């Protein structure tokens, strides 16, 4: 049985290139995050939360996201996991469209696995599906992905 807890706060100082009025004014970004993972035997279940105001130093652009994952590590040479992420990005009126507040939403789903081929060598793979709801044009976008990789460590 085990627990991992993490939390953080940050501030990023915005550097304005102009003081002219208009959209996309520079601002200081403030954010915080927190995460928790519970372990039981070969299993791990965890999630995290992230929130930022004036995201990427753009005044009036805020984001919030959270994720949840489940992993299994075998006593042998393989491991597997599933993962879900949800993010919302809120833009103040005028940042993207004059006079309108806009919200974009993003969801990511992953199924991942790894196989240890020997000391320091592992092969990994992932299947994924993403959805993006574009608040400006009221359109949904879907993507599918397959990924593979090899890790060599010494």
């Amino acid at each position: 049985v085990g627990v991992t807890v993490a939390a953080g706060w940050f501030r990023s100082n915005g550097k304005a290139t102009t003081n002219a009025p208009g959209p996309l004014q520079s601002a200081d970004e403030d954010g915080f995050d927190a995460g928790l993972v519970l372990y039981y035997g070969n299993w791990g279940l965890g999630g995290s939360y992230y929130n930022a105001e004036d995201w990427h130093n753009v005044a009036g652009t805020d984001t919030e996201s959270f994720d949840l994952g489940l992993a299994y590590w075998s006593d042998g040479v393989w491991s597997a996991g599933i993962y879900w992420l949800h993010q919302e990005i809120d833009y103040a009126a005028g940042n993207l469209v004059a006079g309108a507040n806009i919200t974009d939403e993003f969801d990511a789903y992953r199924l991942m696995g790894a196989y240890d081929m020997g000391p320091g060598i592992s092969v990994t793979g992932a299947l994924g599906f993403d959805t993006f709801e574009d608040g400006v044009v009221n359109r949904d976008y879907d993507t599918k992905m397959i990924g593979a990789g090899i890790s060599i460590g010494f």
Side-chain angles (χ1 to χ4, degrees):
V1 175
V3 175
T4 299
V5 178
W9 174 85
F10 68 90
R11 167 165 271 207
S12 173
N13 295 321
K15 302 293 183 198
T17 56
T18 178
N19 289 327
L24 304 181
Q25 292 295 302
S26 181
D28 292 340
E29 177 182 3
D30 288 307
F32 67 91
D33 56 7
L36 175 70
V37 181
L38 304 174
Y39 302 96
Y40 183 78
N42 294 10
W43 292 90
L45 174 67
S48 65
Y49 175 79
Y50 171 81
N51 182 294
E53 295 179 3
D54 299 325
W55 192 46
H56 291 295
N57 302 108
V58 177
T61 299
D62 302 329
T63 188
E64 180 177 53
S65 63
F66 50 89
D67 61 7
L68 184 64
L70 175 68
Y72 178 79
W73 299 273
S74 74
D75 291 327
V77 295
W78 64 271
S79 60
I82 57 174
Y83 171 79
W84 169 63
L85 164 84
H86 177 78
Q87 179 183 25
E88 293 184 11
I89 306 167
D90 297 318
Y91 302 94
N95 277 5
L96 292 179
V97 176
N101 293 322
I102 302 295
T103 297
D104 290 339
E105 293 189 29
F106 174 76
D107 285 283
Y109 306 88
R110 297 288 183 271
L111 173 63
M112 301 161 288
Y115 180 80
D116 293 331
M117 298 177 67
I121 302 173
S122 64
V123 177
T124 61
L127 299 173
F129 177 74
D130 299 336
T131 63
F132 178 72
E133 297 176 19
D134 189 329
V136 174
V137 294
N138 279 336
R139 189 176 305 169
D140 295 344
Y141 301 92
D142 296 332
T143 59
K144 298 162 190 75
M145 61 81 67
I146 297 174
I150 188 166
S151 173
I152 300 173
F154 35 133

